[in-house]
Amino acid sequence: MKKISVAMVLLLACWGMVSMRKPVAPPDEFCGIRNYTFSSGEQISYTVFYNLAGVFVNAGAVSFTTTLQQLNGRPVYHVVGDGRTHNSYDWIYKVRDRYETFIDTATMQPLKFIRNVNEGGDKIFETIAFNKATNTAVTNKGSFKVPACVQDVLSAIYYARNIDYARYKKGDKIPFSMFLDGELHNLYVRYQGTEEIKTRYGTFNSIKFSPLLIKGTIFEGGEKMTVWVSNDANRVPVRIESPIIVGSVKVDMMGYKGLRYPMGALKKLRKD
């Protein structure tokens, strides 16, 4: 498993987008899902807290913005995810990451993906053009065959926000396919029901998940990561917690603008 920075936990794992050891084929019923949860103009910001020796410190920030654009004559959602460590923590592990996806508004399938990252001095620039007519992903490393409903790491977050979770019971697995670094990853999250959660922003009614992780350079293996999303029409991730090899990480939603619906899951703002 490739190195994952704590500042990009939200981008790479907030919906459990982490590779499993054994593939699970995604069901065909997820093809052609419609968007009911977000719209152009949405902006969501997060703070990344790192815990070492029982003390959480503000180590970085992640933001997501969504605009409506045209790509090759087709209307698309252009989603940008930016993640960075604060300057005071750059000496430990500097992160300056930018992810972009262009999602077909009619099918919620990605048409183009751009990754431009700098993590601890390791720089990666990757572009992917998804050809839906031939089910191929054309990258700066070559052309690869992919399933019809494949997602990229960022489009998968917005795709998953539109799943009808009322159809699942606690303990059910929800699979996806994702293409990254020239490889197809078959993924899933385990649905853990609903729960009231207190975050640095406030108290929310939420939907809870546990993604299955394999052991890597940052994360421990197993289903130790926990994700909470707002239990309302927006399905916004509001908290992620996970142990890592040294300490643990917590990511909290700390601001939003332009949501498609009022934040009905918010029960109370935090005062301090």
Side-chain angles (χ1 to χ4, degrees), residues 171-187:
D172 281 351
K173 297 177 181 178
I174 307 174
F176 297 89
S177 289
M178 184 186 74
F179 183 79
L180 185 70
D181 281 331
E183 296 181 16
L184 182 66
H185 302 271
N186 293 304
L187 324 164

Side-chain angles (χ1 to χ4, degrees), residues 153-202:
V153 69
L154 187 50
S155 69
I157 297 172
Y158 288 78
Y159 184 87
R161 285 173 63 179
N162 287 281
I163 292 174
D164 181 7
Y165 296 99
R167 298 176 58 246
Y168 297 93
K169 62 181 183 295
K170 188 174 181 178
D172 281 351
K173 297 177 181 178
I174 307 174
F176 297 89
S177 289
M178 184 186 74
F179 183 79
L180 185 70
D181 281 331
E183 296 181 16
L184 182 66
H185 302 271
N186 293 304
L187 324 164
Y188 74 77
V189 296
R190 188 183 298 277
Y191 176 58
Q192 298 286 12
T194 60
E195 184 176 276
E196 182 177 295
I197 181 70
K198 293 183 179 180
T199 75
R200 298 292 182 101
Y201 186 85

Side-chain angles (χ1 to χ4, degrees), residues 1-4 17-19 213-219:
M1 185 177 179
K2 295 177 176 59
K3 186 184 297 181
I4 302 176
M17 302 299 140
V18 184
S19 184
L213 307 181
I214 61 172
K215 188 173 182 179
T217 58
I218 296 294
F219 294 113

